[in-house]
Amino acid sequence: MNKFQTAIACAILALGASTAAHAQFSMPSIPGVKGLGGGASSAPDLTGQQDGLVRGYVAANKDVLDANSLMANALGLKTAAATSAATSASLTEGATKDNLEESNKAVAASTSAVAAEMAKKPVLDANAKALYGKGLILLASGVNKFTGVGKNVSTMGSSLKSASPLQLPKLQSAVYIVSNFPTSMTNVTGALTNAIAFAQSQDIPVPKDANDALKAL
């Protein structure tokens, strides 16, 4: 359990204590998000911040899931493609912590399936290459959105330092995103790097947006 998760557990336990306590959070390092940080503001709107954070995270995850669905289809992975598409369709802006966790599992599973198939170096026909290219554009969009979410993650992490133990149970979606964002960012960045390399090996045109997304990290 890292410092951030330990702090959350301690804060929740403090709900039953006779004296009020404030949770102390240690912001994790966020790959792809440069020069972010800063102290907590006074009386932040934690609910509003959480809503915005969830919307951004959901939008980024949906792009990645849709990208994986297209690329999986291009690679002949029909089941993985269908699962990714269904998970994306069910993911909404009002996602709970459990919804977010399930979507992350789906992203990890589909990304792994696509990577494993690409490692076999299959030869794609023209239609498959076109489908793969569309997926690559969406994946780049997802990475760009994750980079944008990183700014809100940093702000939310600072704001959570001032949250009272009574507020934390209502902020579980935000707590989940802040604690898991570094891993998510690392995974999608690696997926885009891998996807570009495969496209180049197949003579699939790499969209400018995809290269720009990597350069921006």
Side-chain angles (χ1 to χ4, degrees):
M1 183 177 291
N2 58 34
K3 292 180 180 179
F4 188 83
Q5 293 168 321
T6 301
I8 295 170
C10 291
I12 293 173
L13 287 174
L15 287 170
S18 58
T19 58
H22 290 286
Q24 297 298 314
F25 294 87
S26 175
M27 275 297 296
S29 173
I30 302 175
V33 181
K34 304 173 184 177
L36 298 176
S41 59
S42 58
D45 177 11
L46 295 178
T47 299
Q49 286 185 18
Q50 175 173 250
D51 290 345
L53 184 63
V54 170
R55 281 196 300 272
Y57 194 80
V58 164
N61 252 3
K62 284 176 76 71
D63 272 0
V64 175
L65 284 165
D66 289 338
N68 283 349
S69 178
L70 287 169
M71 291 190 292
N73 255 325
L75 294 165
L77 303 174
K78 303 303 182 184
T79 299
T83 300
S84 290
T87 303
S88 174
S90 66
L91 192 58
T92 65
E93 291 183 353
T96 65
K97 173 184 173 293
D98 288 342
N99 297 146
L100 296 172
E101 191 170 10
E102 286 303 312
S103 73
N104 276 352
K105 289 178 180 178
V107 167
S110 56
T111 298
S112 294
V114 167
E117 192 63 25
M118 287 192 296
K120 298 176 183 177
K121 303 185 185 304
V123 177
L124 305 186
D125 61 23
N127 289 334
K129 287 181 178 182
L131 198 59
Y132 185 93
K134 291 179 181 178
L136 193 52
I137 292 173
L138 266 179
L139 184 57
S141 175
V143 170
N144 282 329
K145 286 178 181 177
F146 266 109
T147 301
V149 169
K151 300 173 184 178
N152 291 332
V153 166
S154 183
T155 300
M156 190 77 220
S158 295
S159 296
L160 285 171
K161 295 177 182 178
S162 65
S164 75
L166 292 175
Q167 290 176 297
L168 285 172
K170 299 178 182 179
L171 299 171
Q172 292 306 297
S173 292
V175 168
Y176 176 80
I177 292 173
V178 171
S179 61
N180 285 275
F181 185 80
T183 298
S184 294
M185 189 71 203
T186 297
N187 288 344
V188 297
T189 300
L192 180 58
T193 301
N194 196 30
I196 289 175
F198 179 78
Q200 292 170 335
S201 73
Q202 294 279 323
D203 292 325
I204 299 172
V206 177
K208 182 177 182 297
D209 287 350
N211 284 320
D212 288 347
L214 284 184
K215 292 177 182 177
L217 298 174

